[in-house]
Amino acid sequence: MAHTSAAAVTSPLAPERGAQPSEGSLLRKWYGAQYVSVAIGFHHGDLGVVTVPQPAGDLIDAKLGEVDLPAHWLDLRRDTVRRRWDGPAKARVISGVYDPSRDAAEHIAVASLADAFDVLIHIRRVTPVRWLP
């Protein structure tokens, strides 16, 4: 999940550090409600150099993937959506050199999904980029 969380995040790669401010949390502090934190994630697919399996069931990526649509988005600023989706959440992080065997360790955790993100964009299955002719 690509993210610039508007709240502090915890990484299992350094759990002893606890929740740390993210770029988004600093931008939220500076810009207030004018800053919109958008997370873009996907369920599974082919990145061209590696195949990304379905996410573990405890990740927000798995819950968002339960919707049988090629892509969808949630506006967590809307009260009804916020109430349904808020709470602690973990999201898979796919960046740099991705190794599927490290999925369990490479995620972020937030205390409140709705405080961390204003909008979630979810793509069910990704495919490699193809250059235009």
Side-chain angles (χ1 to χ4, degrees):
M1 181 169 274
H3 68 87
T4 306
S5 169
V9 297
T10 302
S11 169
L13 299 176
E16 69 282 356
R17 294 179 64 201
Q20 296 293 307
S22 66
E23 294 87 357
S25 65
L26 300 173
L27 290 168
R28 174 62 54 84
K29 189 182 292 186
W30 181 263
Y31 291 106
Q34 293 177 326
Y35 174 73
V36 177
S37 177
V38 178
I40 303 170
F42 63 92
H43 191 265
H44 67 281
D46 180 358
L47 298 179
V49 294
V50 67
T51 299
V52 179
Q54 294 184 10
D58 65 334
L59 297 174
I60 190 66
D61 314 80
K63 292 177 181 137
L64 290 166
E66 292 172 0
V67 175
D68 192 22
L69 291 171
H72 64 103
W73 65 284
L74 299 171
D75 187 343
L76 295 168
R77 297 168 297 179
R78 295 180 54 211
D79 287 338
T80 56
V81 178
R82 183 182 180 94
R83 280 193 300 274
R84 178 164 183 240
W85 288 91
D86 197 16
K90 293 189 318 185
R92 178 165 55 180
V93 174
I94 298 176
S95 63
V97 179
Y98 173 71
D99 179 353
S101 69
R102 299 204 31 86
D103 266 2
E106 296 187 359
H107 65 271
I108 61 163
V110 294
S112 165
L113 186 63
D115 286 346
F117 301 106
D118 298 306
V119 176
L120 302 177
I121 298 172
H122 186 77
I123 301 164
R124 178 114 179 103
R125 184 175 74 84
V126 294
T127 58
V129 172
R130 304 227 192 292
W131 294 107
L132 294 173

